[in-house]
Structures are given as structure tokens and as C-alpha cells.
Amino acid sequence: MAAIAMVLMRFLLMPFALIAVVLFAMGLHITGTILYHQAAWHQTVATVTDVDPYFETKKNGLTIDGINVAVTYVVDDAPMTWSGKGKVIGLYAASIGDKVELYYDPADPSNLDTAAMKGWRGGLLLLAATGGFTAFYVWFFWLRRRNAP
């Protein structure tokens, strides 16, 4: 009876293990992208020249708020400007005149990112929890009772 319960639990928990693997991969991708931007992109200091709050209402009634920003910065002695939704470059709060450290892609200086590890503690917790659950699942249900040849 216990063997049947173990087999049943193995397959009932499999969707959760697969979801944990996907979440772990997503966390690695996000962390890797941020670390890549910090290592390979160049850094500049931008000045916020315009801030305009906005509110969007989705079809389901959910209201999202944010800011539209305009920033000026210098790349290789050439002045550059960027404007758009602040969340695209990692700005969620800003005031006119603020100095913001941004990273830019050397191949396309209009591609900006704060490359800040916002929420990194939560991300590390997600990586640890999903990785730990998946490793325990694989060990407990698939590897621990295998006989070595």
C-alpha cells in the first residue's frame, strides 16, 4: 500500500516540480541578464528632464500606474535623449532634475537599463526555494531507492 502511495505522490507532485523548474530558469535568466548588463554595458549618468504620471486601465478592470520619463545623457561626448515609460529602463519613481546611473548598450546607446538588482532578495529566495524543491523531489521520488550497478 505504501508503494502505491509513493508512486501516486511521485506523479501528483510532478506538475509542481515542472513549474518549479520553469520558475528557476526564469530567475536565472533575469539574474543573468542583469549581471550581463552590469558587466558588458557602459555606465553613464542621466538627468531626468520630464516626469509625467500615467494610469492605464486594462480590459479586466485592473488599473496600472507608472511614470513617463525623459532623460538626457552623454555617450562618447554626444548628447542623447530618451523618453518613454520609466519601467522600460527600470525607473519607477523619479523627479525632474534627478541624476540616475544608467547602463547603455555600446552597440545601441538608446538601449538603456538601470541594471539594478531590484528585488534581488526575493529573486534569490525564489531561486533557492524552487531549486531546493526540485532537487528534493528528484532525489526523494526518483533517485534515493535506485541500486548502484
Side-chain angles (χ1 to χ4, degrees):
M1 191 65 163
I4 294 172
M6 289 296 284
V7 170
L8 183 62
M9 288 302 295
R10 173 190 299 182
F11 291 106
L12 285 176
L13 288 175
M14 189 176 289
F16 297 103
L18 294 175
I19 291 169
V21 168
V22 170
L23 289 173
F24 186 78
M26 290 169 58
L28 282 179
H29 172 72
I30 291 167
T31 304
T33 300
I34 290 169
L35 293 175
Y36 171 75
H37 287 181
Q38 289 177 346
W41 287 20
H42 299 270
Q43 191 171 15
T44 188
V45 175
T47 303
V48 177
T49 56
D50 189 28
V51 178
D52 184 31
Y54 70 86
F55 300 93
E56 291 180 14
T57 302
K58 301 290 185 178
K59 290 180 183 178
N60 63 1
L62 181 67
T63 302
I64 298 173
D65 60 338
I67 56 172
N68 288 317
V69 296
V71 295
T72 59
Y73 56 102
V74 177
V75 174
D76 297 328
D77 296 327
M80 307 279 291
T81 60
W82 183 92
S83 62
K85 291 185 177 182
K87 65 182 177 181
V88 171
I89 61 172
L91 286 178
Y92 296 93
S95 299
I96 295 175
D98 283 354
K99 303 286 187 197
V100 182
E101 291 183 358
L102 294 174
Y103 291 85
Y104 66 90
D105 185 356
D108 180 12
S110 65
N111 194 2
L112 299 173
D113 187 5
T114 58
M117 298 288 273
K118 295 181 188 306
W120 67 275
R121 289 184 184 120
L124 289 178
L125 180 63
L126 177 68
L127 288 175
T130 58
F133 173 77
T134 304
F136 178 76
Y137 170 81
V138 169
W139 171 78
F140 190 81
F141 289 110
W142 296 95
L143 299 178
R144 76 181 169 115
R145 294 194 184 194
R146 301 225 176 213
N147 294 328

